[in-house]
Amino acid sequence: MTMKKNEKYVVLYLIGLLVCIFCLTMLLLIQGVSGYVYLAIVLLTVMQAAGLIWYLEEDHPPKNKLFRFLLKLNLVSSLGTVIFAVYLYLTMAAQFHAVLKPDASGDISELDMTAVVNAENCYVYETNQLYILFPQYQRIGYVFKDRPSMSDPDITLFGTSAFFRFYELNFRHECVVGDHARDGVYYEGAEETGLSAFTYYDGEPHFTLTDPDEAVRLAAENGGDGFEQYMAIWQGEKQDLLFGKLRCYRLLAELNGRICFIESAVPMHYDDFIDRVMALGVENALYMDMGAKCSYSQYRDNNGSTVNLFGKPGEFVHSWIVFYK
């Protein structure tokens, strides 16, 4: 039994409509999407629905040549939506955390800090849908331009750090949001209000809530490193940050006297994530960039293997925090 011409159009429009609905759903979950993109997909959804309704109600092609041409043009435009849906799928695939094999799991009260301190490379603890990564470190550095490589045996963990104002293939310091320092050299970045700072010098980490430029400058004067980001937790108190989307989040945190990464093992809302982190007893925590392709990070497990922690590398990302043992 052959399919009638109108039935073929019904199937094609139905597929187009379902793809549009998928795109709208994904756009609600992804942060930073332009409103124009969302409106364009809404318009395409309406167009696909209109075409579907027409071919469901009519048993013959439209007689008006212009109308018939517009219907076919509408159908062709849905191909762009399919391509966009594939792009969104690949983007969302990078928004889900890799499933890790923790060294231990349980309530935070069961965390063995002796095991953390004596770990070979990076100790991973899972609790309440959170991953806590405690890297071994003798130094914490800030790296820009070139992505760190696990071919350096001294690196135990690295991840993206400062936000970027402009995404360019060629690195410029003006692209980095906030001032930053590397190996005792101070660099000016793009200005932004409300930032805080993380610095490392004289063998000690430092979180600074206010006047981050001065904190980074002090780190540079002492031969150290530093960058600016938003403070999520300061001296045990939750700060006012608004991230409403459902996604995985990451903090650079101070817990039990150790600097670590704390990440949501599954997508969750920011307030839920912070409440779970607060229950751990975190003293200070800085937000880490987790945008599409900005979430990429790796660590070295205690067997010496490299583990892809989250996301895929982005060619426009040039800002990293690195732990060296």
Side-chain angles (χ1 to χ4, degrees):
M1 180 178 181
T2 59
M3 184 179 291
K4 295 180 181 179
K5 191 172 183 180
N6 272 23
E7 291 176 342
K8 292 179 181 179
Y9 283 127
V10 167
V11 172
L12 290 173
Y13 270 112
L14 180 59
I15 293 173
L17 180 61
L18 292 174
V19 169
C20 285
I21 293 173
F22 168 80
C23 290
L24 288 174
T25 304
M26 293 301 99
L27 289 175
L28 289 173
L29 297 177
I30 300 175
Q31 285 185 317
V33 177
S34 168
Y36 294 107
V37 173
Y38 192 81
L39 287 176
I41 300 300
V42 169
L43 179 60
L44 279 172
T45 304
V46 172
M47 291 167 60
Q48 298 301 303
L52 177 62
I53 291 172
W54 165 266
Y55 282 108
L56 282 173
E57 293 186 347
E58 301 294 335
D59 57 1
H60 59 81
K63 297 180 180 180
N64 186 285
K65 291 184 178 180
L66 178 60
F67 187 44
R68 187 162 60 245
F69 171 76
L70 290 175
L71 277 175
K72 291 184 177 180
L73 182 63
N74 179 17
L75 190 60
V76 171
S77 70
S78 66
L79 294 176
T81 309
V82 173
I83 295 172
F84 188 61
V86 172
Y87 169 77
L88 285 177
Y89 173 78
L90 294 175
T91 299
M92 284 304 298
Q95 298 294 311
F96 288 87
H97 205 293
V99 178
L100 305 182
K101 295 180 179 179
D103 296 287
S105 60
D107 188 78
I108 189 59
S109 62
E110 301 174 76
L111 174 61
D112 183 359
M113 290 306 296
T114 300
V116 170
V117 172
N118 293 328
E120 180 67 23
N121 293 301
C122 187
Y123 187 89
V124 180
Y125 192 77
E126 184 177 10
T127 180
N128 197 20
Q129 294 187 312
L130 300 175
Y131 288 127
I132 309 174
L133 294 103
F134 290 99
Q136 290 290 358
Y137 60 88
Q138 294 297 322
R139 179 172 69 89
I140 303 175
Y142 173 75
V143 174
F144 53 75
K145 188 179 180 180
D146 297 319
R147 185 171 69 246
S149 172
M150 279 295 184
S151 61
D152 183 344
D154 290 333
I155 294 179
T156 55
L157 171 67
F158 74 82
T160 47
S161 52
F163 286 127
F164 261 61
R165 179 61 51 84
F166 310 105
Y167 291 93
E168 301 178 357
L169 284 174
N170 297 320
F171 172 80
R172 293 186 300 119
H173 289 287
E174 294 83 357
C175 294
V176 181
V177 174
D179 296 348
H180 41 284
R182 178 178 180 180
D183 296 333
V185 181
Y186 181 84
Y187 303 92
E188 291 186 359
E191 293 185 1
E192 181 70 38
T193 60
L195 293 174
S196 298
F198 175 82
T199 56
Y200 190 89
Y201 57 91
D202 292 341
E204 295 291 337
H206 307 270
F207 289 87
T208 305
L209 180 64
T210 58
D211 204 356
D213 293 354
E214 184 58 33
V216 173
R217 193 182 302 276
L218 180 61
E221 291 174 353
N222 286 275
D225 297 47
F227 65 95
E228 299 181 17
Q229 252 290 1
Y230 293 112
M231 192 71 74
I233 300 172
W234 172 249
Q235 296 182 349
E237 297 293 330
K238 180 167 59 176
Q239 303 301 294
D240 293 329
L241 290 182
L242 298 176
F243 296 100
K245 297 290 184 177
L246 182 72
R247 65 178 312 157
C248 289
Y249 290 95
R250 171 186 297 153
L251 299 178
L252 175 68
E254 182 181 2
L255 176 62
N256 296 346
R258 302 281 297 188
I259 303 302
C260 60
F261 275 8
I262 301 179
E263 310 191 355
S264 51
V266 297
M268 59 183 66
H269 290 285
Y270 180 75
D271 285 343
D272 183 21
F273 170 64
I274 288 297
D275 288 342
R276 292 169 188 249
V277 173
M278 291 284 292
L280 303 178
V282 167
E283 291 88 9
N284 301 297
L286 210 65
Y287 184 83
M288 294 285 98
D289 190 358
M290 292 291 278
K293 294 196 175 181
C294 296
S295 55
Y296 183 69
S297 52
Q298 292 184 322
Y299 74 93
R300 196 182 308 279
D301 68 17
N302 293 311
N303 294 316
S305 300
T306 296
V307 180
N308 185 17
L309 182 64
F310 197 104
K312 300 182 182 297
E315 60 274 19
F316 302 108
V317 181
H318 309 282
S319 178
W320 311 88
I321 183 171
V322 187
F323 293 80
Y324 303 90
K325 68 176 181 178

